[in-house]
């Protein structure tokens, strides 16, 4: 499992918006500047987050994006599952994977299933609020 920039940047956007949530709708340009991420690239990530109802957007003057829920209601697992093709450690456990013909005799399957469970349990128990608390409030996050 390798988390893409899309997944890492989605987390950074969510943390940024959470830290600035008292300011109302935050223009994407501000988030892009604070995070030093291309605004154009962030647009594609924001679309995913809005479509999944993690964020709401408002167009026009005073517009931008904001969280639809409290930061402690978003798990890292849910955000990464949205942005990544798979969090599975091996392809046979990925979402929509074809049933492997060797599954019944696979001596490593239970190990991979266990690792998959550990990964998902771990990521499902970390929230955006936890990530906000893990460092000092600021404009730079390294994920």
């Amino acid at each position: 499992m390798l988390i893409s920039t899309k997944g890492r940047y989605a987390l950074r956007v969510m943390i940024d918006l959470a830290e600035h949530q008292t300011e109302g709708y935050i223009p994407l340009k501000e988030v892009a500047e604070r995070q030093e991420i291309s605004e154009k690239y962030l647009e594609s990530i924001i679309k995913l987050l809005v479509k999944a109802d993690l964020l709401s957007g408002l167009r026009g003057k005073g517009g931008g994006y904001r969280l639809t829920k409290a930061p402690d209601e978003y798990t890292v697992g849910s955000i990464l599952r949205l942005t990544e093709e798979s969090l599975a450690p091996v392809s046979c456990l990925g979402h929509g994977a074809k049933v492997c013909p060797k599954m019944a005799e696979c001596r490593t399957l239970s190990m991979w299933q266990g690792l998959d469970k550990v990964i998902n349990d771990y990521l499902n128990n970390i929230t955006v609020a936890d990530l906000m608390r893990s460092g000092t409030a600021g404009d730079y996050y390294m994920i």
Side-chain angles (χ1 to χ4, degrees):
M1 172 187 76
L2 182 65
I3 304 300
S4 69
T5 56
K6 186 183 288 187
R8 295 192 318 268
Y9 289 178
L11 289 172
R12 287 170 56 182
V13 166
M14 296 296 286
I15 296 165
D16 188 284
L17 291 174
E19 288 193 334
H20 294 90
Q21 64 186 333
T22 58
E23 300 168 29
Y25 286 93
I26 308 296
L28 185 59
K29 182 177 182 174
E30 289 181 17
V31 176
E33 287 173 0
R34 281 193 295 264
Q35 296 304 317
E36 298 180 348
I37 301 170
S38 157
E39 188 174 350
K40 183 113 175 115
Y41 188 52
L42 280 186
E43 287 174 1
S44 65
I45 295 169
I46 289 287
K47 283 181 186 177
L48 284 173
L49 298 172
V50 169
K51 187 176 179 182
D53 200 34
L54 300 183
L55 301 178
S56 64
L58 181 65
R59 293 178 185 234
K61 185 172 171 71
Y65 298 93
R66 69 177 184 180
L67 303 179
T68 58
K69 301 181 275 191
D72 63 349
E73 294 182 56
Y74 296 98
T75 68
V76 170
S78 65
I79 296 165
L80 291 178
R81 275 188 291 282
L82 177 67
T83 59
E84 302 302 310
E85 193 171 303
S86 175
L87 295 179
V90 290
S91 61
C92 64
L93 296 178
H95 181 69
K98 294 180 181 178
V99 176
C100 177
K102 303 233 182 233
M103 191 174 275
E105 60 201 49
C106 181
R107 293 181 180 196
T108 60
L109 179 61
S110 63
M111 175 191 65
W112 297 127
Q113 288 170 328
L115 179 57
D116 188 51
K117 181 176 176 3
V118 168
I119 290 168
N120 281 288
D121 288 349
Y122 179 75
L123 295 176
N124 289 338
N125 284 299
I126 301 170
T127 67
V128 169
D130 294 330
L131 296 176
M132 289 170 61
R133 288 189 290 269
S134 69
T136 57
D139 294 332
Y140 299 99
Y141 316 104
M142 297 314 269
I143 298 176

